[in-house]
Amino acid sequence: TQLLEQSPQFLSIQEGENLTVYCNSSSVFSSLQWYRQEPGEGPVLLVTVVTGGEVKKLKRLTFQFGDARKDSSLHITAAQPGDTGLYLCAGYSGGSNYKLTFGKGTLLTVNP
Amino acid sequence: DVKVTQSSRYLVKRTGEKVFLECVQDMDHENMFWYRQDPGLGLRLIYFSYDVKMKEKGDIPEGYSVSREKKERFSLILESASTNQTSMYLCASSFKLGAHNEQFFGPGTRLTVL
């Protein structure tokens, strides 16, 4: 069974601070996706990382895929209250397997 | 703009009732999924479908069934609702030939079973 461990589980910071969220597994994934879920809504895809070592930037968010394609990180610079939400990583094994393996998420609160 | 819609945002049912949750997508996606989301347990896959009339069990199918008569619609059925099925239910869809199975989610249905 593939597992994705996310840390920390909860994070509460002040506006303007930087933070990093981690997503780790003992399994290799074909790709890894990051989603953000706001309270009372469904998750929304932020990014997909595919190549080992890949770094993708989305404004103040930087996503990295580990060289061995087993782990990923999300770094937010100068967090804003609008970044508040549940951040989920999801691994895709590829081929005809249609399932994603989801981590349990990091609940981020950015206080004004 | 791509869209996945779910029939209800909030639903309250009684133990033993039959419950239907409907999901519709307008993206012509082949794959559709039903998840439940519970605090501390994350998203858990109940069932998925990769084509019309095709379905496969996910990780927690017990107590649930599904129906996919049309490509755009995927229904989740609770045959006899129980209190431990109180949860947030999320529907998602993706392209069959999509490279990484990126999923598009509906807004969720928060179901309470009394």
Side-chain angles (χ1 to χ4, degrees), chain B residues 8-87:
Chain B
S8 305
R9 295 298 299 268
Y10 299 93
L11 210 51
V12 179
K13 295 292 181 181
R14 298 220 171 262
T15 302
E17 281 192 76
K18 192 169 186 175
V19 182
F20 294 86
L21 301 182
E22 304 281 336
C23 175
V24 178
Q25 51 94 4
D26 66 358
M27 296 166 281
D28 204 33
H29 284 168
E30 292 85 1
N31 300 330
M32 295 188 76
F33 305 83
W34 274 107
Y35 296 89
R36 64 177 284 177
Q37 186 176 32
D38 301 286
L41 297 177
L43 268 78
R44 291 181 291 167
L45 182 64
I46 304 171
Y47 266 98
F48 68 99
S49 168
Y50 52 89
D51 206 344
V52 175
K53 298 192 186 292
M54 306 304 290
K55 60 186 179 185
E56 286 206 20
K57 292 179 180 179
D59 300 316
I60 51 162
E62 298 79 17
Y64 303 94
S65 62
V66 290
S67 173
R68 189 146 180 224
E69 296 297 317
K70 293 185 176 182
K71 190 176 185 180
E72 67 271 18
R73 190 179 297 269
F74 192 34
S75 302
L76 179 70
I77 303 144
L78 285 65
E79 297 291 341
S80 177
S82 63
T83 54
N84 63 12
Q85 291 178 310
T86 291
S87 185

Side-chain angles (χ1 to χ4, degrees), chain A residues 31-93:
Chain A
S31 63
L32 204 134
Q33 300 159 27
W34 285 92
Y35 293 81
R36 178 169 68 209
Q37 183 177 19
E38 297 185 8
E41 300 294 332
V44 174
L45 179 68
L46 295 173
V47 78
T48 302
V49 285
V50 178
T51 308
E54 181 178 5
V55 176
K56 276 192 174 176
K57 288 195 130 180
L58 192 68
K59 297 183 181 177
R60 294 176 292 100
L61 278 61
T62 302
F63 304 85
Q64 186 162 8
F65 202 11
D67 292 339
R69 304 208 319 274
K70 294 182 180 181
D71 55 84
S72 182
S73 63
L74 158 60
H75 182 80
I76 301 179
T77 303
Q80 298 177 1
D83 296 326
T84 292
L86 180 68
Y87 288 82
L88 295 161
C89 64
Y92 178 55
S93 301

